[in-house]
Amino acid sequence: MIATETLFAPASGFGRAAVSVIRVSGPAAGHVLVALGGTLPPPRRLSLRTLRDPADGTELDRALVAWFPGPDTYSGEDMAELHLHGGTAVRMGVLTTLARMPGCRAAGPGAFTRRAVLNGRMDLAEAEAVADLIDAETEGQRRQALRQLDGALSRQVAAWREEAIDCLAAAEAALDFADEGDVDDARLDAALFGRADALRQDIAKALQDGRRGERLREGFFVVLAGEPNAGKSTLLNALSRRDVAIVSDMPGTTRDAIEVRLDLGGLPVFLVDTAGLRDTAEPVEAEGIRRSRARIDAADLILAVVPPHGTTPDLGASAIRTLTVHTKADLFAGSLEPSPAGAIAVSARTGAGLEALLDAIQAEAQAGLGTGDALVTRARHRAALEGCVRHLDRLLAGEGALPELAAEDLRLAVRSLGEVAGHVGVEDVLDRLFSGFCIGK
């Protein structure tokens, strides 16, 4: 892609800081440095310059600047960076000056990474990894994003795509040269279907991962469920070590779900407090209970909270993902009683049992999310790979059918694999992807 406009944007956070970085990318990047600083600095070295407004010579800042000639740059084109003093007035003065320079315009979200994709510096899956790395809040999310940025998914999909293209070439050979004496249709077809079946099994195995990659990006949701006054809100506050939920002796105090985010062993875990489960005619509480049921059904793990002399809540089919927690255990003869088999007894007042409960939640999250080693990390990846499997299934189901049909199924399978890295249909997803980026990346 040959860009005609030069983009600029802050590449660091707003607000008062020691240093503020402005990134410039495009054909006029070198001209921008000369216009602001007088001379072009040596490539890939920070150089001190006095920056001036080319319109009237007004001094803007004394800054470090860097020049990165393309194409060996992040965006694949000429780039420059201005490392300014971090005051708001300094940054805005330079941005205003850049906006007046011919051929320059402010970049939108993800504009630099978009150019990197269009210029072949990275593929679409790697660009998504950049966004995930920026958004990563836990160690597991960081590891997963770095694996994708390093090309873990891209390399595997490229290998699958090469195999699918080879199969397609064999099918087209059978189609185009069936009347030639040196092309054995039956033998070639048998080999083709065997390779297609092996490819199909390999991709299907990668998809059987419990959606660990997507769930690590989104978080592991743990819902606290139980009867009113079972101690759910108190337990939520104790586990999060802050008062996030209102605690009261009055039944029905919690009406809506309250979420608290935890980092357990580098994994993103969300604790969700819900309304107490009971029959009620009060319409607001009834709506809260309905919402509680919906959160319970969607939970990755349910903490069935049972108070002294209480009953285990009826969770229906969701009960298979349940950990029973006996609360207020300090009320038993003034000490923590041994927990029943398969359950954990806790006391929010004394703190007894809380670490054991957190360890149990972390173990469940570890089993559900992994450690950042998932291959498929986005719903878009999964949809493309599932599409490839469907086309291969149709190919295998029609073994012995016309070569034209086999070739078409393989062409569609190749296309589905190409969608992962953006080899086909890239314009359909670029706008949606980069709208979620920060400006300056």
Side-chain angles (χ1 to χ4, degrees):
M1 184 195 79
I2 300 178
T4 58
E5 292 182 307
T6 296
L7 305 178
F8 65 89
S12 56
F14 285 89
R16 185 170 179 267
V19 177
S20 177
V21 179
I22 292 178
R23 174 177 284 176
V24 183
S25 181
H31 170 71
V32 167
L33 282 181
V34 172
L36 292 176
T39 60
L40 198 65
R44 293 175 172 79
R45 286 178 55 188
L46 285 173
S47 303
L48 182 64
R49 293 288 188 275
T50 297
L51 304 184
R52 299 181 183 277
D53 187 336
D56 56 14
T58 301
E59 184 173 337
L60 301 171
D61 191 23
R62 295 196 70 195
L64 293 173
V65 301
W67 162 239
F68 305 98
D72 190 20
T73 63
Y74 179 81
S75 64
E77 56 193 10
D78 289 349
M79 295 188 70
E81 286 186 357
L82 310 176
H83 294 240
L84 313 171
H85 288 89
T88 301
V90 173
R91 181 176 58 247
M92 292 308 301
V94 173
L95 290 173
T96 300
T97 300
L98 289 172
R100 292 198 302 263
M101 298 183 72
C104 294
R105 70 171 177 86
F112 298 107
T113 304
R114 181 176 187 137
R115 287 196 174 182
V117 172
L118 295 177
N119 288 326
R121 295 293 294 170
M122 64 178 67
D123 63 31
L124 196 56
E126 291 166 340
E128 289 168 327
V130 172
D132 289 345
L133 190 58
I134 293 171
D135 292 336
E137 296 181 327
T138 70
E139 181 68 13
Q141 291 173 326
R142 182 188 67 83
R143 284 195 298 265
Q144 177 168 283
L146 283 175
R147 284 188 75 251
Q148 296 296 56
L149 185 58
D150 190 48
L153 175 64
S154 299
R155 287 191 296 271
Q156 180 60 76
V157 171
W160 286 334
R161 189 165 180 261
E162 285 300 314
E163 177 66 6
I165 290 173
D166 286 347
C167 291
L168 175 59
E172 289 180 338
L175 177 64
D176 294 338
F177 305 107
D179 57 345
E180 299 292 333
D182 59 348
V183 176
D184 186 343
D185 290 346
R187 182 177 59 81
L188 182 61
D189 285 346
L192 183 151
F193 282 106
R195 293 177 65 182
D197 183 47
L199 176 62
R200 188 260 178 218
Q201 292 184 40
D202 200 17
I203 298 174
K205 181 179 179 181
L207 289 170
Q208 295 170 355
D209 60 356
R211 299 180 181 270
R212 290 184 295 119
E214 297 103 303
R215 292 167 69 194
L216 180 56
R217 291 182 63 246
E218 298 164 359
F220 187 83
F221 283 82
V222 180
V223 174
L224 284 67
E227 63 187 28
N229 279 1
K232 299 184 299 298
S233 297
T234 301
L235 179 59
L236 178 76
N237 291 341
L239 291 174
S240 61
R241 295 185 174 88
R242 58 187 187 274
D243 291 334
V244 292
I246 298 174
V247 177
S248 169
D249 292 333
M250 181 181 297
T253 299
T254 302
R255 298 297 182 94
D256 206 351
I258 300 173
E259 290 186 5
V260 176
R261 187 183 180 284
L262 301 180
D263 181 341
L264 296 183
L267 301 175
V269 175
F270 289 87
L271 299 181
V272 185
D273 186 19
T274 59
L277 303 177
R278 66 172 178 176
D279 294 328
T280 179
E282 203 279 314
V284 176
E285 185 182 0
E287 174 61 18
I289 293 172
R290 186 194 67 78
R291 296 186 182 188
S292 296
R293 291 288 184 185
R295 297 302 295 264
I296 289 169
D297 291 340
D300 295 304
L301 175 67
I302 303 166
L303 299 186
V305 181
V306 183
H309 312 299
T311 59
T312 302
D314 178 13
L315 302 174
S318 302
I320 59 173
R321 309 184 307 275
T322 299
L323 177 62
T324 301
V325 180
H326 288 264
T327 57
K328 309 178 185 180
D330 55 287
L331 299 181
F332 291 106
S335 62
L336 187 66
E337 292 268 318
S339 59
I344 297 177
V346 300
S347 169
R349 185 177 67 84
T350 67
L354 293 181
E355 288 302 321
L357 177 57
L358 287 171
D359 288 344
I361 294 173
Q362 180 178 330
E364 292 284 347
Q366 180 89 47
L369 305 182
T371 58
D373 58 348
L375 185 68
V376 181
T377 60
R378 285 181 175 244
R380 188 186 69 81
H381 307 159
R382 188 170 298 276
L385 294 177
E386 288 175 343
C388 178
V389 170
R390 285 195 300 271
H391 296 311
L392 293 176
D393 282 340
R394 188 167 61 184
L395 168 74
L396 296 170
E399 185 171 354
L402 294 174
E404 292 89 341
L405 298 179
E408 178 62 15
D409 288 332
L410 285 168
R411 271 192 290 270
L412 293 173
V414 170
R415 181 180 179 84
S416 293
L417 291 171
E419 290 173 358
V420 176
H423 295 302
V424 294
V426 64
E427 290 295 340
D428 297 335
V429 296
L430 283 180
D431 289 337
R432 184 169 62 252
L433 167 61
F434 293 118
S435 66
F437 269 60
C438 59
I439 294 175
K441 197 65 176 178

